[in-house]
Amino acid sequence: MAKDNRITLYDLQLASGCTISPFVWRTKYALAHKGFDVDIVPGGFTGIAERTGGRSERVPVIVDDGEWVLDSWKIAEYLDERYPDRPMLFEGPSMKQLTKFLDAWLWQTAIGPWFRCYIQDYHDLSLPQDQTYVRHSRETMFLGGKTLEEVQAGREDRLPLVPPTLEPFRKLLRDTPWLGGDAPNFADYTALAVFLWTASVATTPPLTEDDPLRGWLDRGFDLYAGLGRHPGMHSLFGLRLREGDPEPFARDGAGIEVAPVNRGTARSAEMAD
């Protein structure tokens, strides 16, 4: 069991000290949700194997009273299994599957295009000793041998295309403060991690000032004494649209209902009187 209520977490940081990894972000929230005090082992992209004593080349990694646990999803499952007396991250196996679906959808919808819009910033904000690794590893991800600068170029044309694709997520949050209902759970932390990652590198905002996601995002960033409010984070809000850019979200209730709601007939309303 956690000694003195403390668990060690291996972080992945930028030069500002801000966490960049979405997987570390959701682990930070999971540990806070469970009520643990966290000892952070700082570091960047290089030297992870050395920091973890050869146990892992990736983070997050936690150490709980001598027990090492790797991978953010396995960490969340471990925390629920080891500490069922504390607030649960998952409420049953169906919640796990829905969370995995949401995570995959957000990665395809948001992180994929935003990654290409901020890839040079991702490099420039990294620790100096990490920048060679970041450039080489990220440039190999792109076909045609494009540089980070070439991939990021023209983002002013691409950034306005992302907010409209998030409309299903806005609808999901329209009638509930959290994905978990009255209180956040691991689904919220997994989704928040996407936007926390973006805020760590977004030197120009990806969302408009009036985006309806702002309420949920502000509540999420403020959780646990402002866990998501690191001074190295950038604002997500302030995207300036140009003539011809698509509407960033459905306004005035347009398109709110996914399918028509059966409200009966005019006769049924009369019979109810």
Side-chain angles (χ1 to χ4, degrees), residues 53-129:
R55 292 176 176 85
S56 179
E57 294 182 346
R58 303 175 67 181
V59 292
V61 171
I62 68 167
V63 186
D64 178 14
D65 196 18
E67 184 165 356
W68 292 71
V69 188
L70 285 58
D71 183 83
S72 62
W73 190 268
K74 291 181 179 178
I75 290 170
E77 291 184 318
Y78 167 85
L79 292 173
D80 269 359
E81 292 169 4
R82 187 74 179 268
Y83 302 99
D85 55 321
R86 297 183 180 226
M88 297 294 285
L89 291 161
F90 301 106
E91 295 295 339
S94 62
M95 190 66 213
K96 291 183 181 181
Q97 297 308 312
L98 289 171
T99 300
K100 287 181 178 179
F101 170 80
L102 177 63
D103 186 33
W105 180 80
L106 279 172
W107 272 76
Q108 179 177 355
T109 305
I111 282 193
W114 280 340
F115 185 77
R116 289 164 175 78
C117 289
Y118 298 115
I119 189 61
Q120 183 183 342
D121 297 327
Y122 188 101
H123 166 272
D124 295 346
L125 294 168
S126 296
L127 289 160
Q129 63 267 31

Side-chain angles (χ1 to χ4, degrees), residues 12-244:
L12 184 64
Q13 300 171 332
L14 296 170
S16 67
C18 174
T19 295
I20 184 172
S21 166
F23 305 107
V24 174
W25 271 120
R26 61 197 193 187
T27 300
K28 282 187 171 184
Y29 274 77
L31 291 167
H33 179 96
K34 285 290 189 179
F36 289 109
D37 299 316
V38 181
D39 294 322
I40 297 291
V41 179
F45 291 96
T46 54
I48 294 175
E50 290 77 10
R51 292 197 297 276
T52 60
R55 292 176 176 85
S56 179
E57 294 182 346
R58 303 175 67 181
V59 292
V61 171
I62 68 167
V63 186
D64 178 14
D65 196 18
E67 184 165 356
W68 292 71
V69 188
L70 285 58
D71 183 83
S72 62
W73 190 268
K74 291 181 179 178
I75 290 170
E77 291 184 318
Y78 167 85
L79 292 173
D80 269 359
E81 292 169 4
R82 187 74 179 268
Y83 302 99
D85 55 321
R86 297 183 180 226
M88 297 294 285
L89 291 161
F90 301 106
E91 295 295 339
S94 62
M95 190 66 213
K96 291 183 181 181
Q97 297 308 312
L98 289 171
T99 300
K100 287 181 178 179
F101 170 80
L102 177 63
D103 186 33
W105 180 80
L106 279 172
W107 272 76
Q108 179 177 355
T109 305
I111 282 193
W114 280 340
F115 185 77
R116 289 164 175 78
C117 289
Y118 298 115
I119 189 61
Q120 183 183 342
D121 297 327
Y122 188 101
H123 166 272
D124 295 346
L125 294 168
S126 296
L127 289 160
Q129 63 267 31
D130 289 341
Q131 291 184 1
T132 298
Y133 164 79
V134 169
R135 177 173 291 278
H136 175 74
S137 62
R138 274 50 183 173
E139 286 184 349
T140 60
M141 293 180 181
F142 303 103
L143 298 177
K146 289 186 176 180
T147 65
L148 304 183
E149 291 78 6
E150 290 172 327
V151 173
Q152 183 170 298
R155 68 180 177 186
E156 63 276 7
D157 297 323
R158 302 192 305 274
L159 281 172
L161 305 180
V162 180
T165 67
L166 295 172
E167 195 60 20
F169 192 56
R170 295 186 188 93
K171 293 176 183 178
L172 189 61
L173 288 163
R174 184 172 67 94
D175 297 320
T176 181
W178 302 105
L179 296 173
D182 293 332
N185 62 12
F186 199 64
D188 287 280
Y189 308 144
T190 297
L192 279 168
V194 169
F195 296 92
L196 287 159
W197 170 84
T198 308
S200 74
V201 295
T203 58
T204 187
L207 301 173
T208 59
E209 289 282 359
D210 56 348
D211 196 299
L213 286 175
R214 187 167 197 151
W216 174 77
L217 286 166
D218 281 344
R219 288 194 302 275
F221 281 33
D222 288 340
L223 282 170
Y224 310 119
L227 182 58
R229 297 297 186 186
H230 190 280
M233 304 287 272
H234 303 85
S235 176
L236 291 171
F237 305 100
L239 175 66
R240 295 182 179 276
L241 299 179
R242 306 161 304 175
E243 185 176 356

